[in-house]
Amino acid sequence: MAELIKELMPQHVAVIMDGNGRWAKRRGVPRVAGHRAGMESMKKIVDHSDKLGIKYLTVYAFSTENWKRSMEEVSGIFKLLVTFVNRDLRELIDNNVRVRILGDYSTIPEDSRRALEKTLRDTEKNDGLQFNIALNYGARDEILRSVRGIADRVKAGELEPGEITEETIAEGLWTGSTFADCPDPELIIRTSGEERLSNFLLWQGAYSEFVFHDALWPDFKPEDFEDCIAEYQSRDRRFGGRK
Ligand code: FPP
Protein backbone atom coordinates (compact mmCIF):
# COMPACT_ATOMS: atom_id res chain seq x y z
CA MET A 1 0.00 0.00 0.00
CA ALA A 2 1.09 3.57 -0.67
CA GLU A 3 3.04 5.47 1.98
CA LEU A 4 1.17 8.71 2.63
CA ILE A 5 2.79 11.93 3.82
CA LYS A 6 0.68 13.41 6.60
CA GLU A 7 1.80 16.99 5.93
CA LEU A 8 0.74 16.73 2.27
CA MET A 9 -2.73 15.32 2.95
CA PRO A 10 -5.27 17.15 0.77
CA GLN A 11 -7.88 19.06 2.75
CA HIS A 12 -10.59 18.60 0.15
CA VAL A 13 -10.96 15.57 -2.14
CA ALA A 14 -13.74 15.37 -4.73
CA VAL A 15 -14.78 12.12 -6.40
CA ILE A 16 -16.64 11.28 -9.60
CA MET A 17 -18.02 7.85 -8.72
CA ASP A 18 -18.17 6.38 -12.22
CA GLY A 19 -18.71 2.83 -13.45
CA ASN A 20 -21.69 1.51 -11.49
CA GLY A 21 -23.57 0.73 -14.71
CA ARG A 22 -20.67 -1.18 -16.28
CA TRP A 23 -20.10 -3.09 -13.04
CA ALA A 24 -23.74 -4.20 -13.10
CA LYS A 25 -23.64 -5.07 -16.80
CA ARG A 26 -20.59 -7.29 -16.33
CA ARG A 27 -22.47 -9.23 -13.68
CA GLY A 28 -25.72 -9.35 -15.63
CA VAL A 29 -27.61 -7.58 -12.84
CA PRO A 30 -29.84 -4.45 -13.02
CA ARG A 31 -28.11 -1.06 -13.08
CA VAL A 32 -29.62 -0.22 -9.70
CA ALA A 33 -27.69 -3.16 -8.21
CA GLY A 34 -24.55 -1.40 -9.47
CA HIS A 35 -25.58 1.79 -7.70
CA ARG A 36 -26.26 -0.18 -4.52
CA ALA A 37 -22.74 -1.60 -4.63
CA GLY A 38 -21.58 1.96 -5.39
CA MET A 39 -23.29 3.20 -2.26
CA GLU A 40 -21.34 0.66 -0.16
CA SER A 41 -18.15 1.82 -1.83
CA MET A 42 -19.04 5.42 -1.04
CA LYS A 43 -19.62 4.58 2.62
CA LYS A 44 -16.17 2.97 2.86
CA ILE A 45 -14.52 6.02 1.30
CA VAL A 46 -16.36 8.33 3.74
CA ASP A 47 -15.04 6.27 6.67
CA HIS A 48 -11.56 6.14 5.22
CA SER A 49 -11.42 9.88 4.50
CA ASP A 50 -12.28 10.47 8.13
CA LYS A 51 -9.49 8.10 9.23
CA LEU A 52 -6.97 9.86 7.02
CA GLY A 53 -7.86 13.25 8.46
CA ILE A 54 -9.27 14.66 5.23
CA LYS A 55 -11.53 17.58 6.13
CA TYR A 56 -13.84 17.74 3.09
CA LEU A 57 -15.04 14.94 0.82
CA THR A 58 -17.33 15.81 -2.09
CA VAL A 59 -18.98 13.09 -4.19
CA TYR A 60 -20.85 13.45 -7.46
CA ALA A 61 -24.01 11.42 -6.77
CA PHE A 62 -26.50 12.80 -9.29
CA SER A 63 -25.98 15.35 -12.03
CA THR A 64 -28.45 17.74 -13.65
CA GLU A 65 -28.09 15.49 -16.74
CA ASN A 66 -28.84 12.22 -14.91
CA TRP A 67 -32.60 12.91 -15.11
CA LYS A 68 -32.34 11.63 -18.71
CA ARG A 69 -31.91 8.08 -17.41
CA SER A 70 -34.83 5.69 -17.07
CA MET A 71 -37.40 6.36 -14.34
CA GLU A 72 -36.47 3.04 -12.78
CA GLU A 73 -32.80 4.00 -12.48
CA VAL A 74 -33.46 7.56 -11.28
CA SER A 75 -35.90 6.47 -8.59
CA GLY A 76 -33.55 3.62 -7.66
CA ILE A 77 -30.73 6.11 -7.00
CA PHE A 78 -32.96 8.28 -4.81
CA LYS A 79 -34.19 5.23 -2.89
CA LEU A 80 -30.58 4.34 -2.22
CA LEU A 81 -29.97 7.81 -0.91
CA VAL A 82 -32.76 7.27 1.62
CA THR A 83 -31.35 3.83 2.51
CA PHE A 84 -27.94 5.37 3.04
CA VAL A 85 -29.06 8.23 5.26
CA ASN A 86 -31.51 6.13 7.27
CA ARG A 87 -29.12 3.25 7.79
CA ASP A 88 -25.97 5.24 8.45
CA LEU A 89 -27.21 8.44 10.08
CA ARG A 90 -26.47 7.24 13.64
CA GLU A 91 -22.94 6.27 12.65
CA LEU A 92 -22.35 9.55 10.81
CA ILE A 93 -23.46 11.46 13.91
CA ASP A 94 -21.25 9.33 16.19
CA ASN A 95 -18.29 9.90 13.88
CA ASN A 96 -18.85 13.67 13.96
CA VAL A 97 -19.47 13.76 10.18
CA ARG A 98 -21.44 16.68 8.77
CA VAL A 99 -23.47 16.05 5.61
CA ARG A 100 -24.16 18.86 3.17
CA ILE A 101 -25.67 19.07 -0.29
CA LEU A 102 -24.39 20.86 -3.38
CA GLY A 103 -27.18 21.40 -5.85
CA ASP A 104 -30.85 22.21 -5.95
CA TYR A 105 -32.41 19.23 -4.18
CA SER A 106 -35.85 20.86 -3.93
CA THR A 107 -36.95 18.91 -7.01
CA ILE A 108 -35.99 15.41 -5.85
CA PRO A 109 -38.71 12.99 -4.68
CA GLU A 110 -40.43 14.16 -1.49
CA ASP A 111 -39.46 11.20 0.75
CA SER A 112 -35.80 11.49 -0.28
CA ARG A 113 -35.85 15.23 0.35
CA ARG A 114 -37.32 14.76 3.84
CA ALA A 115 -34.81 12.06 4.78
CA LEU A 116 -32.03 14.26 3.49
CA GLU A 117 -33.22 17.32 5.37
CA LYS A 118 -33.29 15.32 8.60
CA THR A 119 -29.71 14.24 7.96
CA LEU A 120 -28.59 17.80 7.26
CA ARG A 121 -30.23 18.99 10.48
CA ASP A 122 -29.01 16.13 12.65
CA THR A 123 -25.40 16.47 11.52
CA GLU A 124 -25.32 20.26 11.34
CA LYS A 125 -23.28 20.73 14.53
CA ASN A 126 -20.67 18.12 13.63
CA ASP A 127 -17.25 19.51 12.90
CA GLY A 128 -15.35 16.41 11.80
CA LEU A 129 -15.36 15.28 8.17
CA GLN A 130 -17.55 17.52 5.99
CA PHE A 131 -19.21 15.16 3.56
CA ASN A 132 -20.70 17.01 0.59
CA ILE A 133 -23.07 15.19 -1.73
CA ALA A 134 -23.50 16.78 -5.17
CA LEU A 135 -27.13 16.07 -5.98
CA ASN A 136 -28.95 17.44 -8.99
CA TYR A 137 -25.69 19.28 -9.45
CA GLY A 138 -24.22 20.77 -12.61
CA ALA A 139 -21.30 23.17 -12.61
CA ARG A 140 -22.61 25.28 -15.49
CA ASP A 141 -25.96 25.57 -13.76
CA GLU A 142 -24.15 26.58 -10.57
CA ILE A 143 -22.17 29.32 -12.36
CA LEU A 144 -25.31 30.50 -14.15
CA ARG A 145 -27.14 30.87 -10.82
CA SER A 146 -24.28 32.89 -9.40
CA VAL A 147 -24.18 35.18 -12.45
CA ARG A 148 -27.94 35.73 -12.28
CA GLY A 149 -27.68 36.68 -8.62
CA ILE A 150 -24.95 39.19 -9.45
CA ALA A 151 -27.00 40.65 -12.33
CA ASP A 152 -29.92 41.14 -9.93
CA ARG A 153 -27.68 43.01 -7.49
CA VAL A 154 -26.30 45.20 -10.28
CA LYS A 155 -29.83 45.92 -11.50
CA ALA A 156 -30.88 46.85 -7.96
CA GLY A 157 -27.99 49.32 -7.81
CA GLU A 158 -26.24 47.40 -4.98
CA LEU A 159 -23.16 46.56 -7.00
CA GLU A 160 -21.16 48.21 -9.81
CA PRO A 161 -20.00 45.92 -12.64
CA GLY A 162 -16.42 47.00 -11.89
CA GLU A 163 -16.78 45.76 -8.32
CA ILE A 164 -17.46 42.17 -9.43
CA THR A 165 -14.49 39.98 -8.53
CA GLU A 166 -13.71 36.28 -8.64
CA GLU A 167 -14.83 36.18 -5.00
CA THR A 168 -18.23 37.64 -5.95
CA ILE A 169 -18.73 34.79 -8.41
CA ALA A 170 -17.38 32.15 -5.99
CA GLU A 171 -19.68 33.38 -3.22
CA GLY A 172 -22.71 32.67 -5.40
CA LEU A 173 -21.72 29.03 -6.05
CA TRP A 174 -23.08 26.20 -3.90
CA THR A 175 -19.68 25.85 -2.32
CA GLY A 176 -19.58 29.57 -1.51
CA SER A 177 -23.14 30.07 -0.34
CA THR A 178 -23.91 26.78 1.41
CA PHE A 179 -20.48 26.38 2.95
CA ALA A 180 -18.24 29.34 2.67
CA ASP A 181 -15.50 27.61 4.64
CA CYS A 182 -14.99 24.94 1.96
CA PRO A 183 -11.64 25.30 0.14
CA ASP A 184 -11.29 24.33 -3.54
CA PRO A 185 -10.51 20.62 -3.94
CA GLU A 186 -6.79 19.96 -4.27
CA LEU A 187 -7.59 16.55 -5.76
CA ILE A 188 -10.37 15.30 -8.04
CA ILE A 189 -10.56 11.54 -8.57
CA ARG A 190 -12.55 9.84 -11.32
CA THR A 191 -12.95 6.10 -11.44
CA SER A 192 -13.70 3.66 -14.27
CA GLY A 193 -10.95 4.83 -16.64
CA GLU A 194 -12.97 7.73 -18.07
CA GLU A 195 -11.00 10.96 -18.23
CA ARG A 196 -13.42 13.88 -18.20
CA LEU A 197 -14.93 16.34 -15.76
CA SER A 198 -18.59 15.92 -16.85
CA ASN A 199 -19.76 19.31 -15.57
CA PHE A 200 -18.35 18.78 -12.06
CA LEU A 201 -16.77 21.64 -10.05
CA LEU A 202 -15.67 23.59 -13.14
CA TRP A 203 -14.93 26.75 -11.18
CA GLN A 204 -13.55 25.16 -8.01
CA GLY A 205 -11.40 22.70 -9.95
CA ALA A 206 -9.33 25.36 -11.75
CA TYR A 207 -6.13 24.21 -10.03
CA SER A 208 -7.11 20.75 -8.87
CA GLU A 209 -4.93 17.77 -9.59
CA PHE A 210 -6.80 15.04 -11.46
CA VAL A 211 -6.23 11.38 -10.79
CA PHE A 212 -8.00 8.85 -13.00
CA HIS A 213 -8.32 5.34 -11.65
CA ASP A 214 -9.26 2.30 -13.72
CA ALA A 215 -11.40 0.54 -11.11
CA LEU A 216 -15.15 0.71 -11.56
CA TRP A 217 -16.61 2.61 -8.62
CA PRO A 218 -18.13 -0.43 -6.81
CA ASP A 219 -14.66 -2.08 -6.96
CA PHE A 220 -12.82 1.01 -5.74
CA LYS A 221 -11.28 0.18 -2.35
CA PRO A 222 -9.80 2.34 0.44
CA GLU A 223 -6.36 1.10 -0.77
CA ASP A 224 -7.11 2.51 -4.25
CA PHE A 225 -8.15 5.78 -2.63
CA GLU A 226 -4.79 5.89 -0.83
CA ASP A 227 -2.99 5.19 -4.13
CA CYS A 228 -4.77 8.20 -5.68
CA ILE A 229 -3.71 10.38 -2.76
CA ALA A 230 -0.12 9.12 -3.07
CA GLU A 231 -0.20 10.01 -6.78
CA TYR A 232 -1.45 13.49 -5.84
CA GLN A 233 1.33 13.85 -3.25
CA SER A 234 3.93 13.05 -5.90
CA ARG A 235 2.75 15.89 -8.17
CA ASP A 236 4.50 19.24 -8.43
CA ARG A 237 1.83 21.91 -7.93
CA ARG A 238 2.86 25.31 -9.29
CA PHE A 239 -0.45 27.16 -9.79
CA GLY A 240 0.83 28.74 -12.99
CA GLY A 241 4.03 29.93 -11.35
CA ARG A 242 7.53 28.53 -11.33
CA LYS A 243 9.47 26.81 -8.60
C1 FPP B 1 -22.08 6.84 -12.26
O1 FPP B 1 -22.03 5.52 -12.75
C2 FPP B 1 -22.81 6.88 -10.99
C3 FPP B 1 -23.99 7.55 -10.78
C4 FPP B 1 -24.65 8.34 -11.80
C5 FPP B 1 -24.70 7.48 -9.47
C6 FPP B 1 -23.85 7.47 -8.22
C7 FPP B 1 -24.62 6.88 -7.11
C8 FPP B 1 -24.12 6.13 -6.11
C9 FPP B 1 -22.68 5.85 -5.94
C10 FPP B 1 -24.98 5.44 -5.12
C11 FPP B 1 -26.02 6.22 -4.44
C12 FPP B 1 -25.56 7.13 -3.43
C13 FPP B 1 -26.18 8.31 -3.23
C14 FPP B 1 -25.67 9.24 -2.18
C15 FPP B 1 -27.34 8.73 -4.05
P1 FPP B 1 -22.73 5.17 -14.15
O2 FPP B 1 -24.09 4.64 -13.85
O3 FPP B 1 -22.68 6.37 -15.03
O4 FPP B 1 -21.80 4.03 -14.65
P2 FPP B 1 -21.53 3.62 -16.18
O5 FPP B 1 -20.77 4.76 -16.80
O6 FPP B 1 -20.70 2.40 -16.05
O7 FPP B 1 -22.86 3.37 -16.80
Side-chain angles (χ1 to χ4, degrees), residues 189-206:
I189 297 169
R190 183 173 188 144
T191 59
S192 89
E194 303 288 344
E195 303 190 351
R196 7 169 229 286
L197 205 44
S198 300
N199 205 13
F200 188 50
L201 303 179
L202 293 181
W203 180 276
Q204 301 88 338

Side-chain angles (χ1 to χ4, degrees), residues 112-131:
S112 309
R113 190 170 52 75
R114 277 178 201 277
L116 206 53
E117 277 166 355
K118 176 169 165 44
T119 307
L120 302 184
R121 266 196 319 275
D122 291 356
T123 63
E124 137 189 284
K125 297 213 164 55
N126 294 351
D127 61 2
L129 175 73
Q130 307 288 295
F131 177 42

Side-chain angles (χ1 to χ4, degrees), residues 23-220:
W23 184 92
K25 193 163 182 220
R26 279 183 200 172
R27 282 170 176 68
V29 297
R31 290 182 64 85
V32 174
H35 295 311
R36 179 177 296 278
M39 177 186 78
E40 303 303 346
S41 222
M42 181 180 84
K43 175 63 176 37
K44 283 190 201 128
I45 299 304
V46 170
D47 292 345
H48 207 65
S49 296
D50 194 25
K51 258 191 219 121
L52 292 175
I54 289 165
K55 184 75 188 163
Y56 303 87
L57 175 72
T58 302
V59 298
Y60 204 2
F62 195 85
S63 76
T64 44
E65 288 74 35
N66 286 152
W67 294 105
K68 293 180 205 150
R69 299 188 178 203
S70 72
M71 254 266 278
E72 187 192 351
E73 183 172 356
V74 169
S75 69
I77 293 176
F78 287 119
K79 280 202 191 104
L80 281 172
L81 179 67
V82 178
T83 307
F84 168 70
V85 295
N86 286 345
R87 188 192 68 181
D88 295 328
L89 179 60
R90 188 66 255 162
E91 199 186 326
L92 293 170
I93 295 172
D94 290 345
N95 290 342
N96 199 21
V97 175
R98 180 173 186 185
V99 179
R100 290 192 279 198
I101 302 295
L102 265 82
D104 177 10
Y105 62 91
S106 66
T107 56
I108 70 169
E110 172 83 16
D111 61 329
S112 309
R113 190 170 52 75
R114 277 178 201 277
L116 206 53
E117 277 166 355
K118 176 169 165 44
T119 307
L120 302 184
R121 266 196 319 275
D122 291 356
T123 63
E124 137 189 284
K125 297 213 164 55
N126 294 351
D127 61 2
L129 175 73
Q130 307 288 295
F131 177 42
N132 309 321
I133 305 176
L135 205 63
N136 192 19
Y137 173 87
R140 287 186 173 182
D141 170 71
E142 177 184 42
I143 295 169
L144 177 67
R145 282 165 190 266
S146 175
V147 170
R148 282 201 181 128
I150 294 168
D152 284 341
R153 286 168 61 197
V154 171
K155 197 174 167 197
E158 294 164 20
L159 192 68
E160 289 294 327
E163 289 168 353
I164 300 168
T165 61
E166 290 189 6
E167 281 68 38
T168 326
I169 297 172
E171 280 162 16
L173 305 177
W174 295 110
T175 40
S177 50
T178 320
F179 22 104
D181 58 302
C182 188
D184 288 340
E186 296 98 320
L187 167 62
I188 298 179
I189 297 169
R190 183 173 188 144
T191 59
S192 89
E194 303 288 344
E195 303 190 351
R196 7 169 229 286
L197 205 44
S198 300
N199 205 13
F200 188 50
L201 303 179
L202 293 181
W203 180 276
Q204 301 88 338
Y207 285 103
S208 303
E209 293 293 331
F210 291 92
V211 174
F212 300 107
H213 196 283
D214 283 336
L216 301 175
W217 177 251
D219 293 328
F220 188 77

